């Protein structure tokens, strides 16, 4: 190592002559420091271990040690060693010999056990060392190790600390998974930017620990969306075919055979240094000779093989000639008068009009249409692969020999191999269907959702956890048992809105044609509206919003009246035959003004919001950030105000149905009740809305599951994700329309319940109006309050605790 360092230093200065070289050698020899030699000394144990392991012999080292051991003081500690220029070589030789001497002094387990026994008998380390069993330092080390670990086995050194943490290893894994083609050297550079200075070898080790091993990328045809769709259509069409059905098909295809390296990748086994040995090479040429062949086979055996002239590709003329001379005799020989199908892919020469017309004239039925880029579905591709490997093993040197070998291997194909390929067709079809056309996507995600229904399980767990909190809400739902016609309210409201919208569109058409007609330059008739009639558009637009809100408010008023009648009738047998119709009758006779006023208030808030939304859409991308923020803030505030007023109106209709007061008085009374029971209102709305939301999710999930099960069996329709999404959205809208009725009923029942508990306490003369189910809930809550130390008069806190 010293000579190597000396040689490196001399070459760095560039000697120009022999004398110059001698001068440089003397100067460089004098510049070798003692620190450098001490570093070499520390490295010598590893070097000597390697020499001994390799059986390099140590006799010379011992002789050198004996010759030079007197050149300096052996007992001088290494940190105080003063090295002179004259003794550098002697010191180096001594260090090597001393290291070898140390390595030869191996302490056996028996010696360690004897030292421990002597120590337990009361001998000190110095006394044991006097027996010459081992050096004193070794004895002290063995005793110390025994005291610390209670064992004579020396603890193995932990080695160098790991250079990277687990988090840094995960970062490296993410880098690799982000781009699978990134090399280890490139990953090392990216890792260095993330704060880890590691070599490419370390990168490979870390990736190997995480299961990422370098492998050759598999080559597969690139499938487009059309290819995937065609593959699925084909496989769904023939998914029920058995091996017997596929036995009636003649599979055909053409394939190129290239001289030198037919099979592409070639694996060999070689020793080190034999990479470019003649027997380990795969010769290549720039422009290899290519031979195109055409063949066919069926379950009854192989057909004739046609070899095209050298460097000639298949075209429609050659293909028609091949079919005429090879296919027709094969069909007659293998099937005779039996019906059979002919398979060929979608190559341009196969789809030519001449070929299609010829096949129709010959009454040859085609299998398919065959999907493009689907060699995995054609079993003849396996035959080509087998023949190419067999031909390549024999290493033909010219095209004539290669043609002879191709014909030889083709005729040697056994009937068992042909039969296995035909029997594999059902499995090929099933595999393509399993992989959804050999591509992942939304269909796979939906299939996983069906196979692993996590959402229903999560919803069920949530319901079990919150079962005590939904007690009052479930009790309020009991009204639907006595008012079943409430379920049909969305139908009546929808028909009323539909009739009004048809009328509104007809009036809009009349307004559009109410002006004076005139013909423009293109010859079309235009109507110009002048005078007060031109402002009827705004009046008509306000009427659309107001009447729509009026119809929805009538539905709310009808439901409120029916539920109020049910709640405040002590004897449920005295209920009207149809509480819904009775409530509708009261609405028409007494409360139309109240409903119209409430709808008009909503209209006054909705129209400005719609105007601001129109302005925002027209100025999109033109206004500055401040104006955009102000517009969005105003729109949001008006939306919140509209929702609050809608909720207040609904409770005002309930108060009107209870007290028969006007809109303003009813709104004030409802607001007072809601403020007094704010916590209960929040709880009921939160829990009730959540239960209804679960109902909507359940309906949509069931609809989606049914859609998947139905569309999965439609063989002629493969892209069914968009229709399924549309069906699920429609199911959600329908569920929202019907379950909103439940939401209205819960709100009305809660207001009735709050008024009932405010003016009644269950004592004689002040009996509750609530039914038995709700009464049982209140009594159980009261008992729970008493058991917890509360006062029975504190009905409001008791209910809050039981609900929340």
């Amino acid at each position: 190592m010293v000579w190597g360092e000396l040689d490196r230093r001399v070459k760095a200065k560039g000697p120009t002559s022999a004398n110059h070289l001698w001068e440089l050698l003397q100067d460089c020899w004098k510049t070798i420091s003692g620190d450098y030699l001490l570093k070499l000394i520390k490295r010598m144990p590893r070097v000597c271990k390697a020499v001994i392991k390799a059986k390099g012999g140590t006799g010379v080292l011992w002789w050198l040690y004996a010759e030079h051991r007197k050149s300096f003081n052996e007992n001088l500690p290494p940190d105080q060693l003063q090295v002179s220029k004259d003794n550098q070589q002697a010191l180096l030789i001594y260090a090597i010999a001393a290291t070898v001497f140390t390595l030869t002094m191996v302490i056996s387990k028996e010696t360690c056990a004897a030292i421990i026994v002597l120590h337990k008998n009361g001998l000190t380390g110095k006394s044991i060392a006097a027996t010459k069993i081992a050096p004193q330092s070794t004895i002290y080390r063995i005793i110390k190790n025994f005291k610390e670990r209670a064992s004579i086995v020396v603890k193995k050194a932990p080695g160098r600390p790991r250079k990277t943490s687990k988090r840094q290893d995960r970062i490296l894994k993410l880098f690799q998974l982000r781009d699978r083609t990134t090399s280890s050297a490139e990953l090392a550079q990216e890792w260095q930017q993330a704060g880890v200075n590691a070599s490419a070898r370390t990168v490979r080790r870390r990736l190997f620990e995480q299961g990422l091993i370098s492998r050759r990328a598999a080559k597969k045809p690139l499938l487009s969306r059309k290819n995937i769709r065609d593959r699925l259509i084909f496989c769904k069409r023939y998914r029920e075919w058995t091996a017997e059905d596929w036995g009636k098909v003649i599979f055909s295809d053409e394939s190129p055979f290239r001289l030198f390296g037919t099979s592409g990748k070639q694996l060999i086994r070689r020793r080190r240094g034999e990479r470019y040995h003649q027997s380990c090479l795969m010769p290549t040429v720039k422009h290899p000779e290519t031979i195109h062949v055409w063949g066919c086979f069926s379950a009854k055996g192989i057909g004739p093989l046609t070899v095209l002239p050298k460097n000639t590709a298949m075209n429609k003329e050659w293909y028609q000639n091949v079919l005429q001379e090879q296919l027709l005799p094969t069909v007659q020989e293998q099937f005779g008068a039996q019906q059979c199908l002919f398979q060929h892919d979608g190559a341009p020469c196969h789809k030519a009009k001449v070929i299609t017309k010829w096949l129709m004239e010959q009454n040859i039925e085609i299998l398919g249409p065959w999907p493009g880029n689907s060699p995995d579905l054609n079993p003849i591709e396996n035959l080509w692969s087998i023949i190419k490997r067999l031909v390549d093993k024999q290493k033909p040197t010219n095209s004539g020999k290669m043609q002879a070998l191709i014909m030889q291997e083709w005729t040697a194909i056994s009937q068992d191999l042909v039969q296995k390929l035909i029997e594999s067709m059902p499995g090929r079809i099933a595999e393509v269907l399993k992989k959804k056309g050999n591509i992942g996507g939304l269909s796979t995600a939906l299939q996983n959702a069906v196979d692993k229904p996590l959402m229903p399980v999560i919803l069920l767990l949530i319901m079990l956890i919150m079962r005590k909190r939904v007690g009052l809400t479930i009790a309020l739902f009991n009204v639907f048992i006595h008012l079943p016609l409430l379920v049909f309210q969305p139908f009546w409201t929808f028909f009323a809105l539909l009739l009004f919208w048809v009328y509104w569109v007809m009036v809009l058409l009349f307004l559009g044609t109410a002006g004076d007609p005139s013909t423009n330059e293109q010859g079309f008739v235009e109507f110009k509206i002048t005078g007060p009639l031109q402002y009827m558009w705004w009046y008509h637009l306000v009427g659309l919003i107001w009447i729509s809100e009026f119809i929805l408010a009538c539905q709310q008023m009808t439901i409120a009246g029916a539920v109020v009648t049910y709640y405040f009738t002590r004897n449920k047998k005295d209920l009207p035959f149809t509480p819904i119709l009775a409530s509708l009758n009261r609405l028409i006779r007494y409360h139309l003004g109240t409903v119209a006023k409430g709808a008009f208030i909503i209209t006054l808030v909705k129209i400005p919001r719609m105007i601001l939304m129109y302005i925002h859409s027209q100025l999109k991308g033109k206004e500055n950030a401040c104006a955009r923020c102000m517009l969005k803030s105003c729109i949001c505030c008006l939306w919140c105000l509209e929702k609050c007023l809608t909720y207040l109106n609904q409770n005002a209709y309930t108060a009107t149905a209870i007290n028969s007061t006007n809109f303003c008085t009813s709104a004030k009374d409802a607001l007072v009740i809601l403020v007094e029971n704010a916590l209960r209102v929040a709880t009921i709305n939160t829990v009730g809305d959540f239960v209804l939301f679960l109902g909507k999710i359940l309906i949509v999930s069931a609809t989606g599951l049914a859609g998947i099960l139905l569309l999965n069996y439609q063989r002629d329709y493969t892209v069914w994700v968009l229709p399924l999404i549309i069906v699920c959205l429609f199911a959600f809208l329908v569920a929202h329309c019907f379950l909103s009725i439940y939401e209205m009923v819960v709100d009305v029942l809660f207001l009735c319940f709050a008024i009932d508990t405010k003016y009644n306490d269950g004592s004689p003369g002040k009996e509750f109006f609530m039914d038995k189910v709700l009464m049982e809930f209140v009594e159980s809550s009261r008992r729970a309050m008493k058991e917890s130390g509360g006062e029975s008069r504190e009905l409001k806190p008791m209910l809050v605790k039981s609900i929340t």
Side-chain angles (χ1 to χ4, degrees):
M1 286 180 281
V2 175
W3 299 126
E5 177 65 18
L6 184 63
D7 180 71
R8 185 183 64 80
R9 296 185 182 187
V10 170
K11 288 182 178 180
K13 295 185 179 182
T16 58
S17 63
N19 294 332
H20 188 207
L21 176 61
W22 175 250
E23 293 175 359
L24 291 179
L25 283 172
Q26 291 179 340
D27 294 338
C28 293
W29 178 261
K30 295 177 181 179
T31 57
I32 296 177
S33 64
D35 295 335
Y36 176 75
L37 294 176
L38 288 177
K39 291 181 181 179
L40 293 180
I41 292 173
K42 293 179 180 179
R43 293 178 59 186
M44 289 314 297
R46 288 188 297 168
V47 176
C48 294
K49 285 181 181 178
V51 173
I52 294 173
K53 183 177 181 181
K55 298 181 180 180
T58 58
V60 177
L61 294 176
W62 279 109
W63 176 79
L64 291 172
Y65 170 66
E67 290 290 325
H68 296 278
R69 63 182 301 176
K70 298 180 181 180
S71 300
F72 53 90
N73 187 1
E74 300 178 35
N75 299 323
L76 196 62
D79 57 346
Q80 300 179 9
L81 187 61
Q82 300 295 329
V83 183
S84 64
K85 300 297 182 179
D86 298 330
N87 290 333
Q88 286 180 358
Q89 186 176 3
L91 174 61
L92 186 59
I93 297 173
Y94 172 78
I96 296 174
T99 305
V100 176
F101 177 77
T102 304
L103 291 173
T104 57
M105 295 185 62
V106 180
I107 305 301
S108 63
K109 292 183 179 180
E110 293 77 9
T111 305
C112 294
I115 292 172
I116 297 302
V117 171
L118 294 173
H119 176 67
K120 286 184 176 181
N121 291 335
L123 295 179
T124 62
K126 188 175 182 179
S127 302
I128 299 174
T131 62
K132 303 296 183 179
I133 191 173
Q136 186 174 346
S137 59
T138 304
I139 295 173
Y140 281 118
R141 177 170 50 83
I142 294 174
I143 295 174
K144 181 181 178 181
N145 177 73
F146 181 79
K147 290 180 178 179
E148 292 177 354
R149 303 180 66 244
S151 174
I152 61 173
V153 180
V154 179
K155 183 180 179 181
K156 187 177 179 181
R160 184 177 64 83
R162 190 179 178 91
K163 195 170 185 178
T164 60
S165 62
K166 292 183 178 180
R167 179 178 177 275
Q168 292 170 337
D169 294 344
R170 290 195 299 269
I171 293 175
L172 177 64
K173 182 179 179 181
L174 292 177
F175 286 160
Q176 181 67 87
L177 294 179
R178 185 178 58 191
D179 186 2
R180 299 294 185 102
T181 61
T182 307
S183 64
S184 57
E186 295 171 343
L187 286 174
Q189 294 178 0
E190 291 189 36
W191 214 12
Q192 188 173 8
Q193 295 177 1
V196 182
N197 188 11
S199 63
R201 184 178 179 184
T202 303
V203 169
R204 290 191 291 270
R205 287 201 306 268
R206 296 296 183 268
L207 293 176
F208 181 80
E209 291 172 358
Q210 302 185 65
L212 293 174
I213 306 171
S214 178
R215 291 289 185 265
R216 188 188 299 269
K219 294 182 180 180
K220 295 294 180 181
L222 178 63
L223 297 178
S224 63
R225 292 182 179 271
K226 183 180 182 303
N227 296 143
I228 296 170
R229 182 172 65 251
D230 294 343
R231 285 163 60 87
L232 288 174
I233 293 174
F234 178 84
C235 292
K236 288 184 177 181
R237 182 177 180 181
Y238 297 103
R239 72 195 307 176
E240 304 297 336
W241 275 31
T242 61
E244 183 179 355
D245 298 324
W246 289 108
K248 300 176 182 179
V249 178
I250 298 178
F251 294 94
S252 69
D253 194 18
E254 53 268 358
S255 179
F257 284 76
R258 294 180 177 86
L259 200 61
F260 300 113
T262 317
S263 60
K265 182 179 65 175
Q266 181 69 49
L267 299 179
I268 61 170
R269 297 187 184 277
R270 57 182 172 84
R271 292 182 290 268
R272 185 182 297 273
E274 292 184 342
R275 181 179 182 182
Y276 297 104
H277 193 273
Q278 188 64 29
S279 62
C280 301
L281 296 178
M282 185 175 71
T284 61
V285 294
K286 288 186 177 181
H287 304 288
E289 295 183 4
T290 303
I291 298 177
H292 290 268
V293 300
W294 180 92
C296 64
F297 82 101
S298 67
K300 299 183 181 297
I302 60 172
L305 186 70
T306 301
V307 180
L308 274 67
K310 184 172 59 176
N311 295 328
T312 301
M314 183 72 74
N315 53 31
K316 60 183 180 181
E317 290 80 11
W318 275 106
Y319 192 56
Q320 184 176 1
N321 183 47
V322 168
L323 295 180
Q324 180 72 36
E325 297 181 0
Q326 306 294 345
L327 178 62
L328 291 181
T330 302
V331 173
Q332 186 64 30
E333 178 185 352
Q334 295 186 358
F335 294 95
Q338 297 180 6
Q339 184 68 25
C340 66
L341 297 175
F342 175 62
Q343 178 275 333
H344 62 179
D345 55 27
C349 61
H350 299 172
K351 291 185 176 181
K353 295 182 179 179
V354 177
I355 303 301
T356 304
K357 182 180 179 181
W358 185 88
L359 290 173
M360 293 178 62
E361 291 175 353
Q362 301 299 326
N363 295 325
I364 297 178
E365 188 176 353
I366 304 300
L367 177 73
W370 189 261
N373 282 347
S374 300
D376 55 330
L377 291 175
N378 195 348
I380 200 172
E381 296 291 345
N382 299 85
L383 286 182
W384 297 136
S385 178
I386 293 172
I387 294 175
K388 287 180 180 180
R389 287 200 304 269
L390 295 175
V391 170
D392 190 44
K393 283 184 178 181
Q394 302 181 47
K395 298 181 179 180
T397 57
N398 55 59
S399 58
K401 292 183 179 180
M402 188 169 65
Q403 289 186 21
L405 290 174
I406 293 173
M407 297 296 296
Q408 175 184 340
E409 297 299 340
W410 175 262
T411 55
I413 295 175
S414 64
Q415 181 64 27
D416 293 339
L417 176 59
V418 170
Q419 192 64 34
K420 288 180 180 179
L421 291 176
I422 295 297
E423 292 175 354
S424 69
M425 284 304 299
R428 297 170 188 255
I429 298 293
E431 186 67 19
V432 173
L433 292 175
K434 179 181 178 181
K435 294 183 178 180
K436 299 298 181 182
N438 197 24
I439 191 172
L442 185 59
S443 301
T444 306
L446 291 174
Q447 186 67 30
N448 292 337
V450 175
D451 296 338
K452 301 176 182 179
L454 295 179
M455 183 59 68
V457 175
I458 294 175
L459 296 180
L460 180 61
L461 292 176
I462 294 175
M463 291 296 295
L464 291 175
I465 294 173
M466 299 185 63
R467 64 186 183 278
K468 295 182 179 180
R469 296 176 178 264
V470 299
L472 180 56
T473 305
I474 301 300
L476 295 178
F477 282 157
N478 188 55
V479 68
F480 291 97
I481 300 176
H482 302 277
L483 300 176
L485 293 181
L486 284 175
V487 180
F488 298 99
Q489 279 296 312
F491 290 107
W492 304 340
T493 305
F494 175 74
F495 288 138
L497 287 172
L498 184 62
L499 291 175
F500 169 69
W501 289 339
V502 171
Y503 164 78
W504 188 85
V505 172
M506 292 178 62
V507 173
L508 183 65
L509 294 177
F510 281 118
L511 284 176
T513 58
D516 298 328
S518 61
T519 306
N520 58 13
E521 296 178 355
Q522 288 79 18
F524 296 102
V525 178
E526 294 181 351
F527 294 90
K528 296 182 179 181
I529 303 176
T530 58
L533 193 61
Q534 60 183 339
Y535 301 106
M536 286 296 293
W537 291 88
W538 291 101
Y539 173 80
H540 198 50
L541 180 61
V542 173
L544 172 66
I545 301 174
W546 190 1
I547 300 302
S548 299
E549 292 294 333
F550 176 78
I551 295 174
L552 295 176
C554 288
Q555 173 185 270
Q556 297 174 1
M557 190 70 186
T558 303
I559 294 173
V563 175
V564 166
T565 301
Y566 159 78
Y567 189 92
F568 288 103
T569 301
R570 294 187 183 277
N571 187 3
K572 305 305 179 184
K573 295 181 180 180
D574 297 336
L575 285 172
F577 179 71
T578 53
I580 296 292
L581 295 180
S583 176
L584 183 61
N585 182 36
R586 288 194 299 272
L587 168 65
I588 296 174
R589 294 179 61 184
Y590 304 111
H591 304 312
L592 285 179
T594 300
V595 173
K597 189 173 184 179
F600 183 70
I601 293 175
I602 300 298
T603 304
L604 291 180
V605 178
K606 182 170 287 188
I607 290 178
R609 184 171 67 88
M610 295 177 65
I611 294 174
L612 291 177
M613 291 176 63
Y614 175 77
I615 295 174
H616 181 265
S617 63
Q618 293 297 318
L619 298 179
K620 190 173 183 180
K622 300 178 182 179
E623 76 278 13
N624 55 29
C626 183
R628 183 169 59 252
C629 181
M630 291 179 61
L631 276 174
K632 290 185 177 180
S633 300
C634 293
I635 293 172
C636 182
C637 292
L638 289 175
W639 180 83
C640 294
L641 179 61
E642 180 185 340
K643 294 301 179 183
C644 294
L645 291 176
T646 301
Y647 182 74
L648 183 61
N649 282 0
Q650 181 178 337
N651 288 278
Y653 300 149
T654 304
T656 299
I658 296 174
N659 301 323
S660 296
T661 53
N662 57 37
F663 177 80
C664 295
T665 305
S666 301
K668 182 190 69 174
D669 296 340
L671 182 60
V672 171
I673 294 295
L674 293 177
V675 172
E676 290 179 353
N677 300 271
L679 188 57
R680 280 188 286 178
V681 169
T683 303
I684 289 295
N685 286 338
T686 302
V687 178
D689 292 346
F690 180 73
V691 173
L692 295 177
F693 174 75
L694 293 182
K696 296 175 186 177
I697 295 298
L698 180 62
I699 293 173
V700 173
S701 301
T703 304
L705 178 61
I708 290 175
L709 296 178
L710 292 175
L711 292 174
N712 191 42
Y713 291 97
Q714 297 294 327
R715 300 182 182 179
D716 298 333
Y717 198 80
T718 56
V719 184
W720 41 264
V721 175
L722 182 60
L724 184 63
I725 294 176
I726 295 175
V727 169
C728 290
L729 290 177
F730 183 76
F732 181 81
L733 293 177
V734 173
H736 175 73
C737 293
F738 282 90
L739 292 180
S740 62
I741 302 299
Y742 287 79
E743 187 176 356
M744 296 178 193
V745 170
V746 170
D747 293 336
V748 174
L749 281 175
F750 175 73
L751 194 62
C752 297
F753 174 78
I755 294 175
D756 191 14
T757 55
K758 179 178 181 180
Y759 296 103
N760 302 309
D761 57 4
S763 60
K766 291 186 177 182
E767 293 84 0
F768 290 119
F769 283 94
M770 63 188 73
D771 59 3
K772 293 182 180 180
V773 177
L774 199 55
M775 182 71 71
E776 291 175 358
F777 178 81
V778 173
E779 291 298 332
S780 62
S781 301
R782 181 177 296 177
R783 287 194 299 270
M785 188 64 188
K786 288 182 179 180
E787 292 175 358
S788 62
E791 298 181 4
S792 60
R793 62 180 179 85
E794 295 179 353
L795 181 61
K796 192 184 303 180
M798 173 196 68
L799 288 175
V800 172
K801 180 178 179 180
S802 63
I803 297 170
T804 60

